[in-house]
Structures are given as C-alpha cells and as structure tokens.
Amino acid sequence: MSVSTHLLPNATSRQDKNHTAPSRPVVIVIFGASGDLTQRKLAPALHTLASQRLLPERYAVLGVARSPLSDEAFRAQLREGVAANARVKPDERLPWETFANKLSYLSIGYEDRDSYQLLAQRLAALSAELGSDNVLFYLSTPPQLYQPIVAHLGAAGLAASESGWRRIVIEKPFGHDLASARALNAAVHEVFDEEQIYRIDHYLGKETVQNLLVLRFANAIFEPLWNRNYVNSVQITVAESVGVGKRGGYYDQAGVVRDMIQNHALQLLTLSAMEPPVALNATALRNEKVKVLEALRSTEPREAGACSVRAQYRAKNGPTYRREEGVDPRSETATYAALKLFVDNWRWQGVPFYVRSGKLLKTKTTEIVVRFKRVPHLMFAKDYASIRPPNSLNICIQPDEGIHLTFNTKLPGAGMRTQTVDMTFQYESDFGDELPEAYERLLLDTLQGDASLFARSDEIELSWQVVDPILQGWEQGLAPLAFYEPGSWGPREADELLARDGAVWMSGCAQF
Ligand code: BG6
C-alpha cells in the first residue's frame, strides 16, 4: 500500500550559487588523464557542466599522463568517454568542437622533475591566454603517485600563485590505513594548506546524500524523534550487484572496507548521526561530522569477531572472487562486510548502527533505514508481531531515489486489525528530471571554493581509526572468512550478527 507525495508551491527560487557558473577563468589539470575515471566520470561531468553553461566562460582542461598522446588523440578519446557516459551527449546542447577546443594534453613522467618544468611552462601559457592564474589540480592516478606528484608540484612552485588560486582534488583511496593516511596528509600539508585541499568522496556529491541534510534540518517533524528515545537502530546498506570486474588487482589489496566502508558508508553514517550544524559551510558541517567519528566506539582487534562479519562471494559453477582476474587464488580479501557500530554520545547511546556493503549481491541499492521503536503498549491484535517494527524511515539513496515512511493503519473491515502502509516521496515522479551526477556537483564546488562536500584531514584520519582495528582483527584471523552465493543478500553470518539482537536486515527500498 502506498501514499504518495506531490510538490507544493515553493516560494524560494531554485537558483542558488550551485546553479551559477563560477566567473573567474580556470585551468583544470587532470593527472591520470588517460585513465578510466577521466573517461567515465571527469570528462563527462565537465562536458555536462559546459553544456549547461556552468563552467566559467574562459577555461581550459589540460590532461596529463604518461602515455604519449597528441591533443587530437586525447580529444578523440574523451569524446568516446563523453558519448558513452555523459548526461548531455556531444553536440546535443553544445557543439563538440567548442568543448574540444578547450582540451589539450601533456605527456609527463610523474616522478621526473623536468616534466614539472614543462607543466609550469604550459600552465603559464594557458593562464596568459585566459587572463587569470587559477589552477585546479585533480589527482586521478594510482594512489602511490599522490605523494610524488604533490612534492613535485611544490618544488616547481606550482602550489601557489600571487595572482590566482591553486587547489588540489585528491581521489580516494586516501591512505591504506591510519598510518598511511596520516603520512599522506602530512606530505600534502607540506605543500598545500588545508583550505586548498579537496579530498573527494563521490557519495557526498549524490543528490540524495545532500538531501539527508535537508530532510533532517529543514523539517521540524523528524528531529525530535531522531535519537535513542525513539530510534531502535539504524541500518546502512551499500549493496552492489556487480563483481570486481577488471579491477581485481586493485581490489585484492583493498577489499570492501577500504573500498566502500571507510569512506562512502561512514560518510552516510556521519550525516545520519550528526548534530545540526550552525551554518551550511565547510567548517560547521565538517566539525559536526568529526564529532560523530570521534564518538564512534573504538573496538579492539580481538573484538572484531563479535562486531563484524567478513565474507567473499563464491559459487560452485558461477562467479567466484578467487577466480577473478588479478586476484590471488587463496585470497582472504573480503568482498562483503557487515559491522555493528555504536556512537557513544548523548543522542545515540545504546542505538546500534548496522553497516553492510558487498559486491555481487542481490541488487544494487544504497539506503539508510531508521527503525523506530514499537509503541510501549499495543491494544490491537498483534498482526504485525513479526520482527519488523511498523515505523521506519527508509532513505533510498540509489537507484530508486526517494524516501519511504511506514506506519500502521486500520485494515478496513470488521475488527481492529492493523496493516503497515508506506508514504512515499520519489524523485522521479516529483521532480522528473534526471538527477545530476555526483562529479558534476563536486567539480563545480571545487571551482567555487566550497569544501563542504569534501573530507577534511581529521575526518579522514578518524574514519581510518574506526576501521583499522577491525581490519587488524581480520588480519589476525579473529573473524573467520565466510562465503556467500553471488546474487544473495550476503552470508548467513551477517544475518546472525543481527539475529543476536533480535533484528533482521531490511532492504527497505527493494520492498516498496
Ligand atoms: C567506488 C568503488 O568508490 O564506488 C567501487 O571503488 C564501487 O568499487 C563504486 O563500485 C560505487 O559507486 P556508485 O556511485 O556506483 O555507488
């Protein structure tokens, strides 16, 4: 049963700063320009922004990578990426040539000092052409190159300018554990100030993730209930239906905790649990997120077995992680994890936050389910005496973006039987338009100098501090590796983790 929403007239204008093009010219330098991310995300996002006139009037994109490529070949490569992946296709709203003319390429050795002199010359020429010296560096290379690139940029004097701004975007993974994240932060801080650094987590660029802030802090009805007095538990699911594909080499070193939980899932948790920030700016927002991470109960490696489950996909006659290309046939890397976490503060004392993520699961869905407590005394027949409580708020981050609130009603007819119904808001039916891609929003924010949706150094280190002991426990064999069928919801052990608390996983969005 479903009760729908529809849009009410809104007095505020939809034109905010994020719908306005930054006015100052800029050069965007992409390190790793011949790589997959540039093809799939960066070039498509830039092209869509350009098509919507959301980039400054004067801009240039300089691709930098090792492969020797002519400007023409680079443009042709990006055209393919844009045609395959962009929301706005070449020539749809903007002649491809107009965009292509902004693109150029420079082949460099990432660890070769002379290459950075060449880069400096090229930047000087581009800046002179554009009449401004604003430069955005985007690191989309393998992570082991981040430190050398940053050091070379510093040594070549490219991290600062007298007449413009310099900013740097750093892709995930930011570190491999707490120690390496600290070392990377320290190395980047040697060259760039914190205000110049944008550590990207593309989940923060998703519309529905940003909407968490609006849902919680632009409505008076949820906040009074958003605490231990009314909330039974919170579940965060980041499920993928794809396997590791061609990324086996990378993934086998990373695993699900480093790939999805330390960053994306913990970002969802902090936004769900944080206190209201005093203002919508990078400092206020990130201060509140940091407080949640500080309050996350620290575990000891020896407790890993009690608060986590790790598993791998394995099928008798089907996809099996250990048989994937680039994966060690005896690999112990987890492709699925479930964690039970607690936020030790006044608001959340005693409320479990269950977090799970995995590859090759039943369906792709990212969702947050806030389960409310049952009524203290029920005078009706216990029709719903099942383990599911009647009240939950299901925030569907993707792919069926929307929000569902469930509550009990009287089943029509004789007697007083109850039935749980669902009140629904869906982006597609209410807003129609296709949602912007996360990278579009985040790239625009970097150009506007708004770091609200990027991770600060302390945030990154604290999130590693949360997962490090669990990973250590796993490495010490303190949580046995479980297995799950591809296409399932994960291993039996993950159900047992919740069953011990009398709970079940709710794939809320899939059930509506
Ligand atoms: C990336 C991970 O950060 O996020 C990938 O490295 C994962 O393994 C991807 O597939 C999922 O992103 P999305 O936006 O499709 O949920």
Side-chain angles (χ1 to χ4, degrees), residues 172 202-203 206 240 247 259-260 264 359 364 398:
K172 70 172 266 280
H202 77 279
Y203 268 55
K206 291 181 190 281
E240 294 190 274
R247 296 163 76 222
D259 190 49
M260 298 294 280
H264 307 325
K359 297 269 186 208
K364 179 175 174 74
Q398 61 180 17

Side-chain angles (χ1 to χ4, degrees), residues 37 40-41 171-173 201-203 206 238-240 242-244 247 250-251 254-255 258-260 263-264 359 364-366 397-398 437-439:
L37 189 79
R40 279 189 307 110
K41 299 289 183 189
E171 263 296 335
K172 70 172 266 280
D201 181 316
H202 77 279
Y203 268 55
K206 291 181 190 281
V238 190
E240 294 190 274
V242 293
V244 296
R247 296 163 76 222
Y250 147 78
Y251 196 89
R258 294 186 173 92
D259 190 49
M260 298 294 280
N263 32 64
H264 307 325
K359 297 269 186 208
K364 179 175 174 74
T365 180
T366 301
I397 304 290
Q398 61 180 17
E437 257 287 312
Y439 276 90

Side-chain angles (χ1 to χ4, degrees), residues 37-64:
L37 189 79
T38 308
Q39 289 288 96
R40 279 189 307 110
K41 299 289 183 189
L42 304 182
L46 287 169
H47 179 264
T48 299
L49 290 173
S51 305
Q52 295 171 330
R53 301 186 166 278
L54 285 173
L55 289 183
E57 246 182 58
R58 280 173 293 147
Y59 69 94
V61 178
L62 176 62
V64 171

Side-chain angles (χ1 to χ4, degrees), residues 124-354:
L126 284 169
S127 294
E129 238 172 73
L130 297 177
S132 120
D133 199 26
N134 299 328
V135 181
L136 179 76
F137 297 108
Y138 197 117
L139 302 196
S140 163
T141 61
Q144 62 275 20
L145 291 171
Y146 295 166
Q147 284 198 32
I149 293 173
V150 167
H152 279 294
L153 287 175
L158 290 171
S161 157
E162 305 254 297
S163 53
W165 52 253
R166 298 293 160 106
R167 297 180 189 139
I168 185 163
V169 183
I170 305 180
E171 263 296 335
K172 70 172 266 280
F174 197 96
H176 187 74
D177 53 18
L178 177 58
S180 56
R182 277 190 180 142
L184 181 55
N185 268 333
V188 180
H189 283 149
E190 293 265 306
V191 177
F192 291 94
D193 292 334
E194 181 61 30
E195 295 69 49
Q196 295 176 281
I197 308 168
Y198 292 73
R199 296 172 195 80
I200 200 164
D201 181 316
H202 77 279
Y203 268 55
L204 290 176
K206 291 181 190 281
E207 273 295 323
T208 42
V209 175
Q210 295 163 52
N211 190 42
L212 269 172
L213 294 173
V214 177
L215 175 79
R216 290 195 54 201
F217 306 128
N219 293 300
I221 56 171
F222 299 116
E223 206 47 26
L225 307 182
W226 211 264
N227 57 49
R228 68 182 187 288
N229 296 326
Y230 297 98
V231 175
N232 163 288
S233 60
V234 179
Q235 293 189 10
I236 297 174
T237 297
V238 190
E240 294 190 274
S241 52
V242 293
V244 296
K246 291 199 164 64
R247 296 163 76 222
Y250 147 78
Y251 196 89
D252 210 30
Q253 300 302 313
V256 64
V257 169
R258 294 186 173 92
D259 190 49
M260 298 294 280
I261 292 184
Q262 173 268 332
N263 32 64
H264 307 325
L266 286 186
Q267 286 292 346
L268 298 179
L269 189 151
T270 53
L271 290 171
S272 310
M274 73 182 189
E275 297 301 314
V278 289
L280 189 60
N281 63 44
T283 307
L285 209 66
R286 298 191 295 184
N287 282 350
E288 294 307 335
K289 285 161 69 189
V290 159
K291 284 186 208 160
V292 175
L293 293 167
E294 281 170 341
L296 272 171
R297 187 177 300 171
S298 50
T299 34
E300 293 291 328
R302 67 186 149 75
E303 294 163 337
C307 66
S308 71
V309 169
R310 63 176 179 132
Q312 244 180 32
Y313 57 85
R314 181 172 75 179
K316 232 189 192 135
N317 299 309
T320 292
Y321 178 67
R322 287 178 179 171
R323 291 201 294 262
E324 299 281 16
E325 191 187 320
V327 170
D328 177 350
R330 285 169 312 166
S331 174
E332 288 273 307
T333 299
T335 59
Y336 174 99
L339 311 180
K340 177 177 162 183
L341 301 170
F342 284 96
V343 181
D344 278 335
N345 63 13
W346 193 280
R347 184 189 283 259
W348 293 116
Q349 196 51 240
V351 179
F353 282 73
Y354 302 109

